[in-house]
Coordinates of all heavy atoms in Angstrom, one line a residue:
M1 N 0.8 -1.2 0.0 CA 0.0 0.0 0.0 C 0.9 1.3 0.0 O 0.5 2.3 -0.7 CB -0.9 0.0 1.2 CG -1.9 1.0 1.2 SD -3.1 0.8 -0.1 CE -4.1 2.2 0.1
L2 N 2.0 1.2 0.8 CA 2.9 2.4 0.8 C 3.5 2.6 -0.5 O 3.7 3.7 -0.9 CB 3.9 2.1 1.9 CG 5.0 3.4 2.1 CD1 4.2 4.6 2.6 CD2 6.0 3.0 3.0
A3 N 3.9 1.5 -1.3 CA 4.5 1.7 -2.6 C 3.6 2.4 -3.5 O 3.9 3.2 -4.4 CB 4.9 0.3 -3.1
I4 N 2.2 2.1 -3.5 CA 1.2 2.7 -4.4 C 1.1 4.2 -4.0 O 1.0 5.1 -4.9 CB -0.1 2.1 -4.3 CG1 0.0 0.6 -4.8 CG2 -1.2 2.8 -4.9 CD1 -1.2 -0.3 -4.5
A5 N 1.1 4.5 -2.7 CA 0.9 5.9 -2.3 C 2.2 6.7 -2.7 O 2.1 7.8 -3.2 CB 0.8 6.0 -0.8
V6 N 3.4 6.1 -2.6 CA 4.6 6.8 -3.0 C 4.6 7.1 -4.4 O 5.0 8.2 -4.9 CB 5.8 6.0 -2.5 CG1 7.1 6.5 -3.2 CG2 6.0 6.0 -1.0
T7 N 4.2 6.1 -5.3 CA 4.1 6.2 -6.7 C 3.2 7.3 -7.1 O 3.4 8.1 -8.0 CB 3.7 4.9 -7.3 OG1 4.6 3.9 -7.0 CG2 3.7 5.0 -8.8
L8 N 2.1 7.4 -6.4 CA 1.1 8.4 -6.7 C 1.6 9.8 -6.4 O 1.4 10.8 -7.1 CB -0.2 8.1 -5.9 CG -1.4 9.0 -6.2 CD1 -1.8 8.9 -7.7 CD2 -2.6 8.7 -5.2
V9 N 2.3 9.9 -5.2 CA 2.8 11.2 -4.9 C 4.0 11.7 -5.8 O 4.0 12.8 -6.2 CB 3.4 11.1 -3.3 CG1 4.2 12.3 -3.0 CG2 2.3 10.9 -2.4
F10 N 4.8 10.7 -6.2 CA 5.8 11.0 -7.2 C 5.2 11.5 -8.5 O 5.7 12.4 -9.2 CB 6.8 9.8 -7.4 CG 7.8 9.7 -6.5 CD1 8.3 8.4 -6.0 CD2 8.5 10.8 -5.9 CE1 9.2 8.3 -5.1 CE2 9.5 10.7 -5.1 CZ 9.9 9.4 -4.6
A11 N 4.1 10.8 -8.9 CA 3.4 11.3 -10.2 C 2.9 12.6 -10.0 O 3.0 13.5 -11.0 CB 2.3 10.3 -10.5
M12 N 2.3 13.0 -8.9 CA 1.7 14.3 -8.7 C 2.8 15.4 -8.5 O 2.6 16.4 -9.1 CB 0.8 14.4 -7.4 CG -0.5 13.6 -7.6 SD -1.7 13.8 -6.2 CE -0.8 13.1 -4.9
L13 N 3.8 15.0 -7.9 CA 5.0 15.9 -7.8 C 5.6 16.2 -9.2 O 6.0 17.3 -9.6 CB 6.1 15.5 -6.8 CG 5.7 15.6 -5.3 CD1 6.7 15.0 -4.5 CD2 5.6 17.1 -4.9
S14 N 5.7 15.2 -10.0 CA 6.2 15.3 -11.4 C 5.3 16.2 -12.2 O 5.9 17.0 -13.0 CB 6.4 14.0 -12.0 OG 7.3 13.1 -11.3
A15 N 4.1 16.0 -12.1 CA 3.1 16.9 -12.9 C 3.2 18.3 -12.4 O 3.2 19.2 -13.3 CB 1.7 16.4 -12.7
S16 N 3.3 18.6 -11.1 CA 3.4 19.9 -10.7 C 4.8 20.5 -11.0 O 4.9 21.7 -11.3 CB 3.2 20.0 -9.2 OG 4.2 19.2 -8.5
L17 N 5.8 19.8 -11.1 CA 7.1 20.2 -11.5 C 7.1 20.6 -13.0 O 7.7 21.7 -13.4 CB 8.2 19.1 -11.3 CG 9.7 19.5 -11.5 CD1 10.1 20.6 -10.4 CD2 10.5 18.3 -11.3
V18 N 6.4 19.9 -13.9 CA 6.4 20.2 -15.2 C 5.5 21.5 -15.4 O 6.0 22.4 -16.2 CB 5.6 19.1 -16.0 CG1 5.2 19.5 -17.4 CG2 6.5 17.9 -16.1
L19 N 4.5 21.7 -14.7 CA 3.7 22.9 -14.8 C 4.5 24.1 -14.3 O 4.4 25.2 -14.8 CB 2.4 22.8 -13.9 CG 1.4 21.9 -14.5 CD1 0.2 21.6 -13.6 CD2 0.9 22.4 -15.8
A20 N 5.4 23.9 -13.2 CA 6.2 25.0 -12.8 C 7.2 25.4 -13.7 O 7.5 26.6 -13.9 CB 6.8 24.6 -11.4
F21 N 7.8 24.3 -14.4 CA 8.7 24.7 -15.4 C 8.1 25.5 -16.6 O 8.8 26.4 -17.3 CB 9.4 23.5 -16.0 CG 10.6 23.1 -15.2 CD1 10.7 21.9 -14.6 CD2 11.8 23.9 -15.2 CE1 11.9 21.5 -13.9 CE2 12.9 23.6 -14.5 CZ 13.0 22.4 -13.8
V22 N 6.9 25.1 -16.9 CA 6.2 25.9 -18.0 C 6.0 27.4 -17.5 O 6.2 28.3 -18.3 CB 4.8 25.3 -18.3 CG1 3.9 26.1 -19.1 CG2 5.0 23.9 -19.0
R23 N 5.6 27.6 -16.3 CA 5.5 29.0 -15.8 C 6.8 29.6 -15.7 O 6.9 30.9 -16.1 CB 4.8 29.0 -14.4 CG 4.7 30.3 -13.7 CD 4.1 31.4 -14.5 NE 2.8 31.1 -14.9 CZ 2.2 31.8 -15.9 NH1 2.8 32.8 -16.5 NH2 1.0 31.5 -16.2
L24 N 7.8 28.9 -15.4 CA 9.2 29.5 -15.4 C 9.6 30.0 -16.8 O 10.2 31.1 -17.0 CB 10.2 28.6 -14.8 CG 11.7 29.1 -14.7 CD1 11.7 30.2 -13.7 CD2 12.6 27.9 -14.4
A25 N 9.3 29.2 -17.8 CA 9.8 29.5 -19.2 C 8.8 30.5 -19.8 O 9.2 31.4 -20.6 CB 9.8 28.2 -20.0
K26 N 7.5 30.5 -19.4 CA 6.5 31.3 -20.1 C 6.2 32.6 -19.3 O 5.6 33.5 -19.9 CB 5.3 30.5 -20.3 CG 4.2 31.1 -21.2 CD 3.1 30.1 -21.4 CE 2.0 30.8 -22.1 NZ 0.8 29.8 -22.2
G27 N 6.5 32.7 -18.0 CA 6.1 33.7 -17.2 C 6.2 35.1 -17.9 O 7.2 35.5 -18.3
P28 N 5.2 35.9 -17.8 CA 5.3 37.2 -18.5 C 6.2 38.2 -17.8 O 6.8 39.0 -18.6 CB 3.9 37.7 -18.5 CG 3.2 37.0 -17.4 CD 3.9 35.7 -17.2
M29 N 6.4 38.1 -16.6 CA 7.3 39.1 -15.9 C 8.2 38.4 -15.0 O 8.1 37.2 -14.6 CB 6.5 40.1 -15.1 CG 5.5 41.0 -16.0 SD 4.8 42.3 -15.0 CE 4.0 41.5 -13.7
L30 N 9.3 39.1 -14.6 CA 10.4 38.5 -13.8 C 9.9 38.0 -12.4 O 10.3 36.9 -11.9 CB 11.5 39.5 -13.6 CG 12.7 39.0 -12.9 CD1 13.4 37.8 -13.6 CD2 13.7 40.1 -12.7
P31 N 9.0 38.7 -11.7 CA 8.5 38.2 -10.5 C 7.7 36.9 -10.6 O 7.8 36.1 -9.7 CB 7.5 39.3 -10.0 CG 8.0 40.6 -10.6 CD 8.6 40.2 -11.9
N32 N 7.1 36.7 -11.7 CA 6.4 35.4 -11.9 C 7.4 34.3 -12.0 O 7.2 33.2 -11.5 CB 5.5 35.4 -13.2 CG 4.3 36.3 -13.0 OD1 4.2 36.9 -12.0 ND2 3.6 36.5 -14.1
R33 N 8.5 34.6 -12.7 CA 9.6 33.6 -12.9 C 10.3 33.3 -11.5 O 10.6 32.2 -11.2 CB 10.6 34.0 -13.9 CG 10.0 34.1 -15.2 CD 11.1 34.4 -16.3 NE 10.6 34.3 -17.6 CZ 10.3 35.2 -18.5 NH1 10.4 36.5 -18.1 NH2 9.8 35.0 -19.7
V34 N 10.4 34.3 -10.7 CA 11.0 34.1 -9.4 C 10.1 33.2 -8.5 O 10.6 32.3 -7.8 CB 11.2 35.4 -8.6 CG1 11.7 35.3 -7.2 CG2 12.3 36.2 -9.5
V35 N 8.8 33.4 -8.6 CA 7.9 32.6 -7.8 C 7.9 31.2 -8.4 O 7.8 30.2 -7.6 CB 6.5 33.2 -7.9 CG1 5.4 32.2 -7.3 CG2 6.4 34.5 -7.1
A36 N 8.0 31.0 -9.7 CA 8.0 29.7 -10.3 C 9.3 29.0 -9.8 O 9.3 27.8 -9.5 CB 8.0 29.7 -11.8
L37 N 10.4 29.7 -9.8 CA 11.7 29.1 -9.4 C 11.6 28.6 -7.9 O 12.1 27.6 -7.5 CB 12.8 30.1 -9.5 CG 14.2 29.6 -9.5 CD1 14.4 28.5 -10.6 CD2 15.2 30.7 -9.7
E38 N 11.0 29.4 -7.0 CA 10.8 29.0 -5.6 C 9.9 27.8 -5.5 O 10.1 27.0 -4.6 CB 10.1 30.3 -4.8 CG 9.9 30.0 -3.4 CD 11.2 29.9 -2.6 OE1 12.2 30.3 -3.0 OE2 11.0 29.2 -1.5
L39 N 8.9 27.8 -6.4 CA 8.0 26.6 -6.3 C 8.7 25.4 -6.8 O 8.5 24.3 -6.1 CB 6.8 26.9 -7.3 CG 5.8 25.7 -7.4 CD1 5.1 25.4 -6.1 CD2 4.8 26.0 -8.5
I40 N 9.6 25.5 -7.8 CA 10.4 24.4 -8.2 C 11.3 23.8 -7.1 O 11.4 22.6 -6.8 CB 11.2 24.7 -9.4 CG1 10.3 24.8 -10.6 CG2 12.2 23.6 -9.8 CD1 10.9 25.5 -11.9
A41 N 11.9 24.8 -6.3 CA 12.7 24.3 -5.2 C 11.9 23.6 -4.1 O 12.3 22.6 -3.6 CB 13.5 25.5 -4.6
S42 N 10.7 24.2 -3.9 CA 9.8 23.5 -2.9 C 9.3 22.1 -3.3 O 9.3 21.2 -2.6 CB 8.6 24.4 -2.6 OG 8.9 25.6 -2.1
I43 N 9.1 21.9 -4.6 CA 8.8 20.7 -5.1 C 9.9 19.6 -5.0 O 9.6 18.5 -4.7 CB 8.2 20.7 -6.6 CG1 6.9 21.5 -6.7 CG2 8.0 19.4 -7.2 CD1 6.5 21.9 -8.0
L44 N 11.1 20.2 -5.3 CA 12.3 19.2 -5.1 C 12.5 18.8 -3.6 O 12.9 17.7 -3.4 CB 13.5 20.0 -5.7 CG 13.5 20.1 -7.2 CD1 14.8 20.9 -7.6 CD2 13.6 18.8 -7.8
V45 N 12.2 19.7 -2.7 CA 12.3 19.4 -1.3 C 11.2 18.3 -1.0 O 11.5 17.3 -0.2 CB 12.0 20.6 -0.4 CG1 11.8 20.2 1.1 CG2 13.2 21.6 -0.5
G46 N 10.0 18.4 -1.7 CA 9.0 17.4 -1.5 C 9.4 16.0 -2.0 O 9.3 15.0 -1.5
F47 N 10.1 16.1 -3.3 CA 10.7 14.9 -3.8 C 11.6 14.2 -2.9 O 11.6 13.0 -2.6 CB 11.4 15.1 -5.1 CG 10.6 15.0 -6.3 CD1 10.2 16.0 -7.1 CD2 10.1 13.7 -6.7 CE1 9.5 15.9 -8.3 CE2 9.5 13.5 -7.9 CZ 9.1 14.6 -8.7
I48 N 12.6 15.0 -2.4 CA 13.5 14.4 -1.5 C 12.9 13.9 -0.2 O 13.3 12.8 0.3 CB 14.6 15.5 -1.1 CG1 15.4 15.9 -2.4 CG2 15.6 15.0 -0.1 CD1 16.3 17.1 -2.2
G49 N 11.9 14.5 0.3 CA 11.3 14.1 1.5 C 10.5 12.8 1.4 O 10.6 11.8 2.2
V50 N 9.9 12.7 0.2 CA 9.1 11.4 0.0 C 10.1 10.3 -0.3 O 9.9 9.1 0.1 CB 8.2 11.6 -1.2 CG1 7.6 10.3 -1.8 CG2 7.1 12.6 -0.9
Y51 N 11.2 10.6 -1.0 CA 12.2 9.6 -1.3 C 12.8 9.1 0.1 O 13.2 7.9 0.2 CB 13.3 10.1 -2.2 CG 14.3 9.1 -2.6 CD1 13.9 8.0 -3.5 CD2 15.6 9.1 -2.1 CE1 14.9 7.1 -3.9 CE2 16.5 8.2 -2.5 CZ 16.1 7.1 -3.3 OH 17.0 6.2 -3.7
A52 N 13.1 10.1 1.0 CA 13.6 9.7 2.3 C 12.7 8.7 3.0 O 13.1 7.8 3.7 CB 13.9 10.9 3.1
I53 N 11.4 9.1 3.0 CA 10.4 8.2 3.7 C 10.4 6.9 3.0 O 10.3 5.8 3.7 CB 9.0 8.8 3.6 CG1 9.0 10.1 4.5 CG2 7.9 7.9 4.0 CD1 7.7 11.0 4.4
H54 N 10.4 6.9 1.7 CA 10.3 5.6 1.0 C 11.6 4.6 1.2 O 11.4 3.4 1.3 CB 10.2 5.9 -0.6 CG 10.2 4.6 -1.5 ND1 9.0 3.8 -1.4 CD2 11.0 4.1 -2.4 CE1 9.2 2.8 -2.2 NE2 10.4 3.1 -2.9
T55 N 12.7 5.3 1.2 CA 14.0 4.4 1.4 C 14.3 4.3 2.9 O 15.0 3.3 3.2 CB 15.2 5.1 0.8 OG1 15.4 6.4 1.3 CG2 15.0 5.2 -0.8
G56 N 13.8 5.1 3.8 CA 14.2 5.0 5.2 C 15.5 5.6 5.5 O 15.9 5.3 6.7
V57 N 16.1 6.3 4.7 CA 17.4 6.9 4.9 C 17.2 8.4 5.5 O 16.6 9.2 4.8 CB 18.2 7.0 3.6 CG1 19.5 7.7 3.9 CG2 18.4 5.7 3.0
D58 N 17.5 8.5 6.8 CA 17.3 9.8 7.4 C 18.2 10.9 6.9 O 17.8 12.1 7.1 CB 17.6 9.6 9.0 CG 16.5 8.6 9.5 OD1 15.4 8.5 8.9 OD2 16.8 8.1 10.6
H59 N 19.3 10.6 6.3 CA 20.2 11.7 5.9 C 19.6 12.5 4.8 O 20.0 13.7 4.5 CB 21.5 11.1 5.5 CG 22.3 10.4 6.6 ND1 22.7 11.1 7.7 CD2 22.6 9.1 6.8 CE1 23.3 10.2 8.5 NE2 23.2 9.1 8.0
F60 N 18.7 12.0 4.0 CA 18.0 12.8 3.0 C 17.3 14.0 3.5 O 17.0 15.0 2.8 CB 17.2 11.9 2.1 CG 18.0 10.9 1.1 CD1 17.7 9.6 1.1 CD2 19.0 11.5 0.3 CE1 18.4 8.8 0.3 CE2 19.7 10.6 -0.5 CZ 19.4 9.3 -0.5
I61 N 16.7 13.7 4.7 CA 16.0 14.9 5.4 C 16.9 16.1 5.5 O 16.5 17.2 5.5 CB 15.3 14.4 6.7 CG1 14.4 13.3 6.5 CG2 14.7 15.6 7.4 CD1 13.2 13.6 5.6
D62 N 18.2 15.8 5.9 CA 19.1 16.9 6.1 C 19.3 17.7 4.8 O 19.4 18.9 4.7 CB 20.5 16.4 6.7 CG 20.3 15.8 8.0 OD1 19.4 16.2 8.7 OD2 21.2 15.0 8.3
V63 N 19.4 16.9 3.8 CA 19.6 17.5 2.3 C 18.3 18.3 2.0 O 18.5 19.4 1.5 CB 19.8 16.4 1.3 CG1 19.8 16.9 0.0 CG2 21.1 15.7 1.6
A64 N 17.2 17.9 2.3 CA 15.9 18.6 2.1 C 15.9 19.9 2.8 O 15.5 21.0 2.4 CB 14.7 17.7 2.4
I65 N 16.3 19.8 4.1 CA 16.3 21.1 4.9 C 17.3 22.0 4.3 O 17.0 23.3 4.3 CB 16.6 20.7 6.4 CG1 15.5 19.9 7.0 CG2 17.0 22.0 7.2 CD1 15.9 19.3 8.3
V66 N 18.5 21.6 4.0 CA 19.5 22.5 3.4 C 19.0 23.2 2.1 O 19.1 24.4 1.9 CB 20.9 21.9 3.2 CG1 21.8 22.7 2.4 CG2 21.5 21.5 4.5
L67 N 18.4 22.4 1.2 CA 17.8 22.9 0.1 C 16.7 23.9 0.2 O 16.6 24.9 -0.4 CB 17.3 21.7 -0.9 CG 16.7 22.1 -2.2 CD1 17.7 22.9 -3.1 CD2 16.1 21.0 -2.9
A68 N 15.9 23.6 1.2 CA 14.8 24.6 1.6 C 15.4 25.9 2.1 O 14.8 27.0 1.7 CB 13.9 24.0 2.6
L69 N 16.3 25.8 2.9 CA 17.0 27.1 3.4 C 17.7 27.9 2.2 O 17.5 29.1 2.3 CB 18.0 26.7 4.5 CG 17.4 26.3 5.8 CD1 18.5 25.9 6.8 CD2 16.6 27.4 6.5
L70 N 18.3 27.2 1.4 CA 19.0 27.9 0.3 C 17.9 28.5 -0.7 O 18.1 29.6 -1.2 CB 19.8 26.9 -0.5 CG 21.2 26.5 0.1 CD1 21.9 25.4 -0.7 CD2 22.1 27.7 0.2
A71 N 16.9 27.8 -0.8 CA 15.8 28.3 -1.8 C 15.1 29.6 -1.1 O 14.8 30.5 -1.7 CB 14.7 27.2 -1.9
F72 N 15.0 29.5 0.2 CA 14.4 30.7 0.9 C 15.3 31.8 0.8 O 15.0 33.0 0.5 CB 14.1 30.4 2.4 CG 13.8 31.6 3.2 CD1 12.5 32.1 3.1 CD2 14.8 32.1 4.1 CE1 12.2 33.2 3.8 CE2 14.3 33.2 4.9 CZ 13.0 33.7 4.7
M73 N 16.7 31.6 1.0 CA 17.7 32.7 0.9 C 17.7 33.3 -0.6 O 17.8 34.4 -0.8 CB 19.0 32.2 1.4 CG 19.1 31.9 2.8 SD 18.6 33.3 3.9 CE 19.7 34.5 3.5
A74 N 17.6 32.4 -1.5 CA 17.5 32.9 -2.9 C 16.3 33.8 -3.1 O 16.3 34.7 -3.8 CB 17.6 31.7 -3.8
A75 N 15.1 33.4 -2.6 CA 14.0 34.1 -2.8 C 14.0 35.5 -2.1 O 13.6 36.5 -2.7 CB 12.7 33.4 -2.2
V76 N 14.7 35.5 -1.0 CA 14.8 36.8 -0.3 C 15.8 37.7 -1.1 O 15.6 38.9 -1.3 CB 15.4 36.5 1.1 CG1 15.8 37.8 1.7 CG2 14.3 35.9 2.0
G77 N 16.9 37.1 -1.7 CA 17.8 37.8 -2.5 C 17.2 38.4 -3.7 O 17.4 39.5 -4.1
F78 N 16.3 37.6 -4.4 CA 15.6 38.1 -5.6 C 14.6 39.2 -5.2 O 14.5 40.2 -6.0 CB 14.8 37.0 -6.3 CG 15.6 36.1 -7.2 CD1 15.6 34.7 -7.1 CD2 16.4 36.7 -8.2 CE1 16.4 34.0 -7.9 CE2 17.2 35.9 -9.1 CZ 17.2 34.5 -8.9
A79 N 13.9 39.0 -4.1 CA 13.0 40.1 -3.7 C 13.7 41.4 -3.3 O 13.2 42.5 -3.7 CB 12.2 39.6 -2.4
R80 N 14.9 41.3 -2.7 CA 15.6 42.5 -2.4 C 16.1 43.1 -3.8 O 16.1 44.4 -3.8 CB 16.8 42.2 -1.5 CG 16.5 41.6 -0.1 CD 16.3 42.6 0.9 NE 17.5 43.5 1.0 CZ 17.6 44.3 1.9 NH1 16.8 44.4 2.9 NH2 18.7 45.1 1.9
Y81 N 16.5 42.3 -4.7 CA 17.0 42.8 -5.9 C 15.9 43.6 -6.7 O 16.1 44.7 -7.2 CB 17.6 41.7 -6.8 CG 18.0 42.0 -8.2 CD1 19.1 42.8 -8.3 CD2 17.3 41.7 -9.2 CE1 19.5 43.2 -9.6 CE2 17.7 42.0 -10.6 CZ 18.8 42.8 -10.7 OH 19.2 43.1 -12.0
L82 N 14.7 43.0 -6.7 CA 13.6 43.6 -7.4 C 13.1 44.8 -6.6 O 12.7 45.8 -7.2 CB 12.4 42.6 -7.5 CG 12.7 41.5 -8.5 CD1 11.5 40.5 -8.4 CD2 12.9 42.0 -9.9
E83 N 13.2 44.8 -5.3 CA 12.9 46.0 -4.5 C 13.8 47.2 -4.8 O 13.3 48.4 -4.7 CB 12.8 45.6 -3.0 CG 12.4 46.7 -2.2 CD 12.5 46.3 -0.6 OE1 13.6 46.0 -0.2 OE2 11.5 46.3 0.0
K84 N 15.0 46.9 -5.0 CA 16.0 48.0 -5.3 C 15.8 48.6 -6.7 O 16.6 49.5 -7.0 CB 17.4 47.5 -5.1 CG 17.6 47.0 -3.7 CD 18.2 48.2 -2.8 CE 18.5 47.5 -1.5 NZ 18.6 48.5 -0.4
G85 N 15.0 48.0 -7.5 CA 14.8 48.6 -8.8 C 15.5 47.8 -9.9 O 15.9 48.5 -10.9
G86 N 15.7 46.5 -9.7 CA 16.4 45.8 -10.8 C 15.5 45.7 -12.0 O 14.4 46.2 -12.0
P87 N 16.1 45.2 -13.1 CA 15.3 45.1 -14.4 C 14.0 44.2 -14.3 O 14.1 43.3 -13.7 CB 16.3 44.5 -15.4 CG 17.2 43.8 -14.6 CD 17.3 44.5 -13.2
R88 N 13.0 44.8 -14.9 CA 11.7 44.1 -15.0 C 11.3 43.9 -16.4 O 11.6 44.7 -17.3 CB 10.7 44.8 -14.2 CG 11.0 44.9 -12.7 CD 10.1 45.9 -11.9 NE 10.6 46.2 -10.7 CZ 10.0 45.9 -9.5 NH1 8.8 45.4 -9.6 NH2 10.5 46.2 -8.4
D89 N 10.4 43.0 -16.7 CA 9.9 42.6 -18.0 C 8.6 43.3 -18.1 O 7.5 42.6 -18.2 CB 9.8 41.2 -18.3 CG 11.2 40.5 -18.2 OD1 12.2 41.2 -18.5 OD2 11.3 39.3 -17.9
D90 N 8.5 44.6 -18.1 CA 7.2 45.3 -18.1 C 6.6 45.3 -19.5 O 7.1 45.4 -20.5 CB 7.3 46.8 -17.6 CG 7.5 46.7 -16.1 OD1 7.1 45.8 -15.5 OD2 8.1 47.7 -15.6

């Protein structure tokens, strides 16, 4: 039963990752692309978390935490850059 649930979750995460990549490539403005990039990082954290649960390896949780922190810091950096008047796709 757990294998079916893990497969279903991987399928849903894969579909959401494809949609996020479409938004990243197609996004009309730079802030939309930044949000899509943050979403991709969050989905990857989800992938790593589900994989850690599936395999039972606890060290993958540490990797997921580090990736989440790096993604958060990147989002803050992009927000500060845009706030200071960086280039926009108006």
Side-chain angles (χ1 to χ4, degrees):
M1 186 68 180
L2 181 63
I4 295 170
V6 167
T7 304
L8 184 64
V9 169
F10 277 140
M12 289 190 297
L13 285 172
S14 297
S16 62
L17 190 63
V18 168
L19 291 173
F21 270 118
V22 168
R23 174 49 61 194
L24 180 66
K26 191 177 175 182
M29 294 190 306
L30 184 62
N32 292 1
R33 291 186 172 106
V34 171
V35 170
L37 197 60
E38 179 69 23
L39 179 62
I40 289 170
S42 298
I43 293 169
L44 289 177
V45 169
F47 264 113
I48 294 170
V50 171
Y51 186 74
I53 291 170
H54 180 63
T55 60
V57 179
D58 295 336
H59 297 295
F60 287 128
I61 300 296
D62 297 336
V63 173
I65 291 171
V66 169
L67 181 60
L69 289 173
L70 285 174
F72 172 73
M73 293 305 295
V76 169
F78 277 128
R80 299 268 307 190
Y81 176 71
L82 291 175
E83 182 182 61
K84 298 269 186 205
R88 297 170 192 238
D89 299 332
D90 291 334

